[in-house]
Amino acid sequence: VLTLILVAVGGYLLGSIPFGLVLTRLAGLGDIRQIGSGNIGATNVLRTGNRPLALATLLLDGGKGAVAVLLAYWLFDAPILAVIAGGAAFLGHCFPVWLGFKGGKGVATFLGTMIAIAWPVGLACCATWALVAAVMRISSLSALVAAGLAPAYALFLADTDRALLALFCAVLIFIRHRPNIERLLAGTEPRIGGKKE
Ligand code: G3P
């Protein structure tokens, strides 16, 4: 039980580092929560016009999910603990204690976590995201499609535990994207690289 708590808390703390907020502050761009959609994720960092910073946010937010999973594997060599570490990191990103539990939408952290926990599933999700983004040029829609398909990918390409993790993350990603879903339905969701909303 102690190991379980350690893994969950460790994963959560790692996931709760808001890289988008930290990087934009360090770059002197102000508070990312006052810009664009107000989200702390890479898509919104891109709206500052700083592409390298958006890429760094994507990689670091994804990386922290992957690191949480790999650390759990490496330390305890138990797949179920790795799944829990990934889920905890994802929760940490969405609900960081440092920001009054108002965190991100979890997409990058989800992708990084899935790549580390079951790389074929992670790759399938990334490919889905990229495909929808290439066609539609809408980040949130790409994320929703990728997350929505993730549990099915995991069921076919991995196992039930990983499918449950994917399902858990997918449900939360949909909940966190509620404003985006409303904008998508209203046809007002901004496109990647498009004009300011
Ligand atoms: O990763 C979050 C993305 O799906 C949507 O971000 O800033 O457009 O709400 P945003």
Side-chain angles (χ1 to χ4, degrees):
V1 178
L2 200 68
T3 319
L4 190 82
I5 296 173
L6 193 76
V7 166
V9 173
Y12 172 84
L13 288 177
L14 204 60
S16 70
I17 308 169
F19 283 112
L21 182 73
V22 172
L23 290 180
T24 41
R25 273 225 181 119
L26 285 177
L29 293 168
D31 192 329
I32 188 67
R33 292 168 296 179
Q34 311 291 330
I35 297 168
S37 69
N39 193 39
I40 58 168
T43 302
N44 204 34
V45 173
L46 189 61
R47 294 193 185 104
T48 66
N50 192 325
R51 281 169 164 229
L53 214 60
L55 182 65
T57 303
L58 175 69
L59 294 178
L60 287 168
D61 278 348
K64 69 191 181 187
V67 167
V69 168
L70 297 177
L71 257 181
Y73 262 132
W74 181 63
L75 287 173
F76 307 108
D77 199 25
I80 188 66
L81 288 179
V83 169
I84 289 168
F90 177 79
L91 277 179
H93 178 82
C94 293
F95 308 103
V97 59
W98 325 110
L99 306 180
F101 299 102
K102 290 196 193 82
K105 298 180 180 172
V107 181
T109 308
F110 168 67
L111 293 175
T113 298
M114 288 322 285
I115 287 174
I117 205 97
W119 65 265
V121 180
L123 279 192
C125 291
C126 289
T128 305
W129 192 100
L131 190 73
V132 180
V135 176
M136 303 298 296
R137 309 213 55 81
I138 302 178
S139 177
S140 58
L141 182 66
S142 314
L144 290 167
V145 176
L149 289 172
Y153 289 155
L155 217 48
F156 285 113
L157 300 170
D159 56 30
T160 323
D161 287 348
R162 284 158 180 78
L164 283 175
L165 174 67
L167 182 66
F168 170 75
C169 294
V171 169
L172 258 166
I173 286 176
F174 270 75
I175 293 174
R176 301 294 288 164
H177 279 78
R178 244 189 78 177
N180 302 82
I181 294 170
E182 278 164 14
R183 284 195 294 270
L184 282 168
L185 292 175
T188 57
E189 182 72 329
R191 290 177 190 264
I192 300 167
K195 294 264 165 291
K196 261 199 85 184
E197 65 263 40

